[in-house]
Amino acid sequence: PLVDADFSSAGKALINVIGGDSLTLGEAESAVAFIGSKIAKEAHIIWGATIDTNLPNDAVRVVVVLAGMSEVSREEQKKAAEELIDSIA
């Protein structure tokens, strides 16, 4: 589940892109670039990609761990999470 947070100030990210047999490195890089565009420009990003043969070929799962986020109000956190969900839906 997505935790309510302001992602724009995240200074570090750990990203794992998991896809079916047809997942390409370019597709994984696109997912990482998209997430990178939503966090601090100078953020340190470590990422990897994994093939899961149990997933359908067109399915992709992305696991993101963020650190170094500044404290913001609960309402601002909720708005940022909703905007991120809307942008990838």
Side-chain angles (χ1 to χ4, degrees), residues 16-52:
N16 188 23
V17 182
I18 306 159
D21 286 332
S22 66
L23 177 70
T24 67
L25 188 56
E27 291 168 331
E29 288 176 333
S30 292
V32 172
F34 176 79
I35 295 164
S37 73
K38 301 295 181 184
I39 62 178
K41 293 191 186 312
E42 66 281 352
H44 181 74
I45 300 173
I46 298 173
W47 70 278
T50 306
I51 300 296
D52 182 347

Short mmCIF file of all heavy atoms in Angstrom, two decimals, residues 16-52:
data_model
loop_
_atom_site.label_atom_id
_atom_site.label_comp_id
_atom_site.label_asym_id
_atom_site.label_seq_id
_atom_site.Cartn_x
_atom_site.Cartn_y
_atom_site.Cartn_z
N ASN A 16 12.41 -1.26 -6.85
CA ASN A 16 12.49 -2.57 -7.49
C ASN A 16 11.32 -2.68 -8.45
O ASN A 16 10.16 -2.58 -8.05
CB ASN A 16 12.45 -3.70 -6.46
CG ASN A 16 12.73 -5.05 -7.09
OD1 ASN A 16 13.35 -5.14 -8.14
ND2 ASN A 16 12.28 -6.11 -6.45
N VAL A 17 11.62 -2.88 -9.73
CA VAL A 17 10.60 -3.05 -10.76
C VAL A 17 10.51 -4.54 -11.05
O VAL A 17 11.50 -5.18 -11.40
CB VAL A 17 10.97 -2.27 -12.04
CG1 VAL A 17 9.88 -2.43 -13.09
CG2 VAL A 17 11.21 -0.80 -11.72
N ILE A 18 9.31 -5.09 -10.90
CA ILE A 18 9.08 -6.53 -11.07
C ILE A 18 8.09 -6.72 -12.21
O ILE A 18 7.01 -6.11 -12.19
CB ILE A 18 8.52 -7.15 -9.78
CG1 ILE A 18 9.43 -6.82 -8.60
CG2 ILE A 18 8.34 -8.66 -9.94
CD1 ILE A 18 8.75 -6.92 -7.26
N GLY A 19 8.45 -7.52 -13.19
CA GLY A 19 7.55 -7.73 -14.32
C GLY A 19 7.56 -9.16 -14.80
O GLY A 19 8.37 -9.98 -14.35
N GLY A 20 6.65 -9.44 -15.72
CA GLY A 20 6.59 -10.76 -16.34
C GLY A 20 7.75 -10.95 -17.31
O GLY A 20 8.65 -10.09 -17.43
N ASP A 21 7.72 -12.07 -18.03
CA ASP A 21 8.81 -12.42 -18.95
C ASP A 21 9.11 -11.36 -19.99
O ASP A 21 10.22 -11.27 -20.49
CB ASP A 21 8.49 -13.74 -19.67
CG ASP A 21 8.66 -14.94 -18.76
OD1 ASP A 21 9.49 -14.86 -17.83
OD2 ASP A 21 7.96 -15.95 -18.98
N SER A 22 8.12 -10.54 -20.33
CA SER A 22 8.33 -9.57 -21.41
C SER A 22 8.86 -8.22 -20.91
O SER A 22 9.09 -7.32 -21.72
CB SER A 22 7.02 -9.35 -22.18
OG SER A 22 6.06 -8.74 -21.35
N LEU A 23 9.09 -8.06 -19.61
CA LEU A 23 9.62 -6.80 -19.08
C LEU A 23 10.99 -6.52 -19.68
O LEU A 23 11.88 -7.36 -19.65
CB LEU A 23 9.73 -6.84 -17.55
CG LEU A 23 10.33 -5.60 -16.89
CD1 LEU A 23 9.35 -4.43 -16.99
CD2 LEU A 23 10.69 -5.87 -15.44
N THR A 24 11.14 -5.31 -20.25
CA THR A 24 12.43 -4.93 -20.81
C THR A 24 13.15 -3.98 -19.85
O THR A 24 12.52 -3.35 -19.00
CB THR A 24 12.27 -4.24 -22.18
OG1 THR A 24 11.62 -2.98 -21.97
CG2 THR A 24 11.49 -5.10 -23.15
N LEU A 25 14.44 -3.86 -20.04
CA LEU A 25 15.22 -2.93 -19.23
C LEU A 25 14.75 -1.50 -19.47
O LEU A 25 14.68 -0.70 -18.54
CB LEU A 25 16.71 -3.08 -19.55
CG LEU A 25 17.68 -2.33 -18.65
CD1 LEU A 25 17.48 -2.69 -17.19
CD2 LEU A 25 19.11 -2.61 -19.08
N GLY A 26 14.39 -1.19 -20.70
CA GLY A 26 13.89 0.14 -21.03
C GLY A 26 12.60 0.47 -20.28
O GLY A 26 12.42 1.60 -19.82
N GLU A 27 11.71 -0.51 -20.15
CA GLU A 27 10.47 -0.30 -19.41
C GLU A 27 10.76 -0.07 -17.93
O GLU A 27 10.16 0.80 -17.29
CB GLU A 27 9.53 -1.50 -19.59
CG GLU A 27 8.97 -1.62 -20.98
CD GLU A 27 8.28 -2.94 -21.24
OE1 GLU A 27 8.65 -3.97 -20.62
OE2 GLU A 27 7.35 -2.94 -22.08
N ALA A 28 11.69 -0.85 -17.39
CA ALA A 28 12.07 -0.66 -15.98
C ALA A 28 12.69 0.71 -15.78
O ALA A 28 12.37 1.42 -14.82
CB ALA A 28 13.04 -1.76 -15.55
N GLU A 29 13.56 1.13 -16.69
CA GLU A 29 14.17 2.45 -16.60
C GLU A 29 13.12 3.56 -16.67
O GLU A 29 13.24 4.58 -16.00
CB GLU A 29 15.21 2.64 -17.71
CG GLU A 29 16.47 1.84 -17.49
CD GLU A 29 17.45 1.94 -18.64
OE1 GLU A 29 17.02 2.19 -19.80
OE2 GLU A 29 18.65 1.76 -18.39
N SER A 30 12.10 3.37 -17.49
CA SER A 30 11.02 4.36 -17.60
C SER A 30 10.28 4.50 -16.27
O SER A 30 9.94 5.62 -15.86
CB SER A 30 10.04 3.97 -18.70
OG SER A 30 10.64 4.07 -19.96
N ALA A 31 10.02 3.39 -15.61
CA ALA A 31 9.33 3.43 -14.31
C ALA A 31 10.20 4.17 -13.29
O ALA A 31 9.70 5.00 -12.52
CB ALA A 31 9.02 2.02 -13.82
N VAL A 32 11.48 3.88 -13.28
CA VAL A 32 12.40 4.54 -12.34
C VAL A 32 12.50 6.04 -12.64
O VAL A 32 12.48 6.87 -11.73
CB VAL A 32 13.80 3.88 -12.39
CG1 VAL A 32 14.81 4.66 -11.58
CG2 VAL A 32 13.71 2.44 -11.89
N ALA A 33 12.56 6.40 -13.92
CA ALA A 33 12.61 7.81 -14.30
C ALA A 33 11.35 8.54 -13.87
O ALA A 33 11.40 9.69 -13.41
CB ALA A 33 12.83 7.95 -15.80
N PHE A 34 10.21 7.88 -14.01
CA PHE A 34 8.95 8.50 -13.60
C PHE A 34 8.95 8.77 -12.10
O PHE A 34 8.63 9.88 -11.66
CB PHE A 34 7.75 7.61 -13.96
CG PHE A 34 6.46 8.16 -13.48
CD1 PHE A 34 5.84 9.18 -14.16
CD2 PHE A 34 5.87 7.67 -12.32
CE1 PHE A 34 4.65 9.72 -13.70
CE2 PHE A 34 4.69 8.20 -11.86
CZ PHE A 34 4.07 9.23 -12.55
N ILE A 35 9.34 7.79 -11.32
CA ILE A 35 9.40 7.98 -9.87
C ILE A 35 10.44 9.04 -9.53
O ILE A 35 10.21 9.90 -8.67
CB ILE A 35 9.69 6.65 -9.15
CG1 ILE A 35 8.52 5.69 -9.37
CG2 ILE A 35 9.96 6.86 -7.67
CD1 ILE A 35 8.81 4.25 -9.05
N GLY A 36 11.57 9.02 -10.21
CA GLY A 36 12.61 10.01 -9.99
C GLY A 36 12.12 11.43 -10.25
O GLY A 36 12.56 12.38 -9.59
N SER A 37 11.18 11.58 -11.17
CA SER A 37 10.65 12.91 -11.47
C SER A 37 9.71 13.42 -10.38
O SER A 37 9.39 14.60 -10.34
CB SER A 37 9.91 12.90 -12.81
OG SER A 37 8.67 12.23 -12.71
N LYS A 38 9.29 12.54 -9.49
CA LYS A 38 8.36 12.89 -8.42
C LYS A 38 9.06 13.16 -7.09
O LYS A 38 8.42 13.55 -6.12
CB LYS A 38 7.32 11.79 -8.21
CG LYS A 38 6.50 11.48 -9.44
CD LYS A 38 5.65 12.67 -9.82
CE LYS A 38 4.81 12.36 -11.04
NZ LYS A 38 4.05 13.52 -11.49
N ILE A 39 10.38 12.93 -7.02
CA ILE A 39 11.12 13.15 -5.78
C ILE A 39 12.17 14.24 -6.02
O ILE A 39 12.27 14.78 -7.12
CB ILE A 39 11.75 11.84 -5.26
CG1 ILE A 39 12.75 11.25 -6.25
CG2 ILE A 39 10.65 10.81 -4.95
CD1 ILE A 39 13.44 9.99 -5.75
N ALA A 40 12.96 14.53 -5.00
CA ALA A 40 13.97 15.59 -5.10
C ALA A 40 14.92 15.33 -6.27
O ALA A 40 15.33 14.20 -6.51
CB ALA A 40 14.76 15.68 -3.79
N LYS A 41 15.25 16.39 -7.00
CA LYS A 41 16.11 16.26 -8.19
C LYS A 41 17.48 15.69 -7.85
O LYS A 41 18.07 14.99 -8.65
CB LYS A 41 16.24 17.60 -8.88
CG LYS A 41 14.95 18.09 -9.49
CD LYS A 41 15.19 19.27 -10.39
CE LYS A 41 13.93 19.89 -10.93
NZ LYS A 41 12.96 19.00 -11.48
N GLU A 42 17.99 15.99 -6.66
CA GLU A 42 19.32 15.52 -6.27
C GLU A 42 19.27 14.20 -5.49
O GLU A 42 20.27 13.76 -4.92
CB GLU A 42 20.05 16.58 -5.45
CG GLU A 42 19.43 16.88 -4.11
CD GLU A 42 18.20 17.80 -4.16
OE1 GLU A 42 17.88 18.36 -5.21
OE2 GLU A 42 17.57 17.95 -3.11
N ALA A 43 18.12 13.53 -5.50
CA ALA A 43 17.95 12.29 -4.73
C ALA A 43 18.89 11.19 -5.22
O ALA A 43 19.19 11.08 -6.41
CB ALA A 43 16.50 11.81 -4.81
N HIS A 44 19.35 10.40 -4.28
CA HIS A 44 20.18 9.22 -4.58
C HIS A 44 19.23 8.06 -4.80
O HIS A 44 18.48 7.69 -3.90
CB HIS A 44 21.14 8.95 -3.42
CG HIS A 44 22.03 7.79 -3.65
ND1 HIS A 44 23.10 7.84 -4.52
CD2 HIS A 44 22.00 6.54 -3.15
CE1 HIS A 44 23.69 6.66 -4.53
NE2 HIS A 44 23.05 5.86 -3.70
N ILE A 45 19.25 7.48 -6.00
CA ILE A 45 18.33 6.39 -6.35
C ILE A 45 19.12 5.12 -6.61
O ILE A 45 20.06 5.12 -7.40
CB ILE A 45 17.50 6.75 -7.59
CG1 ILE A 45 16.66 8.01 -7.34
CG2 ILE A 45 16.61 5.58 -8.00
CD1 ILE A 45 15.94 8.53 -8.56
N ILE A 46 18.72 4.06 -5.94
CA ILE A 46 19.26 2.72 -6.20
C ILE A 46 18.08 1.89 -6.70
O ILE A 46 17.02 1.87 -6.09
CB ILE A 46 19.85 2.09 -4.93
CG1 ILE A 46 21.01 2.94 -4.40
CG2 ILE A 46 20.30 0.65 -5.20
CD1 ILE A 46 21.54 2.49 -3.05
N TRP A 47 18.27 1.20 -7.84
CA TRP A 47 17.15 0.45 -8.37
C TRP A 47 17.60 -0.86 -9.00
O TRP A 47 18.77 -1.06 -9.31
CB TRP A 47 16.35 1.28 -9.37
CG TRP A 47 17.03 1.57 -10.67
CD1 TRP A 47 17.95 2.54 -10.92
CD2 TRP A 47 16.87 0.86 -11.90
NE1 TRP A 47 18.36 2.49 -12.22
CE2 TRP A 47 17.69 1.47 -12.86
CE3 TRP A 47 16.10 -0.22 -12.28
CZ2 TRP A 47 17.77 1.03 -14.17
CZ3 TRP A 47 16.16 -0.66 -13.59
CH2 TRP A 47 16.99 -0.04 -14.51
N GLY A 48 16.63 -1.72 -9.17
CA GLY A 48 16.88 -2.99 -9.82
C GLY A 48 15.61 -3.47 -10.50
O GLY A 48 14.53 -2.92 -10.28
N ALA A 49 15.75 -4.48 -11.33
CA ALA A 49 14.61 -5.06 -12.03
C ALA A 49 14.65 -6.57 -11.87
O ALA A 49 15.73 -7.17 -11.85
CB ALA A 49 14.62 -4.67 -13.50
N THR A 50 13.47 -7.16 -11.75
CA THR A 50 13.35 -8.60 -11.54
C THR A 50 12.28 -9.16 -12.44
O THR A 50 11.24 -8.52 -12.64
CB THR A 50 12.96 -8.89 -10.07
OG1 THR A 50 13.89 -8.24 -9.20
CG2 THR A 50 12.94 -10.37 -9.78
N ILE A 51 12.51 -10.33 -12.98
CA ILE A 51 11.48 -11.05 -13.74
C ILE A 51 10.80 -12.04 -12.81
O ILE A 51 11.46 -12.80 -12.11
CB ILE A 51 12.10 -11.80 -14.93
CG1 ILE A 51 12.80 -10.85 -15.89
CG2 ILE A 51 11.05 -12.65 -15.64
CD1 ILE A 51 11.89 -9.85 -16.57
N ASP A 52 9.47 -11.99 -12.78
CA ASP A 52 8.68 -12.95 -12.01
C ASP A 52 7.83 -13.71 -13.00
O ASP A 52 6.87 -13.18 -13.56
CB ASP A 52 7.80 -12.21 -10.99
CG ASP A 52 6.98 -13.16 -10.13
OD1 ASP A 52 6.88 -14.37 -10.45
OD2 ASP A 52 6.41 -12.69 -9.12
#
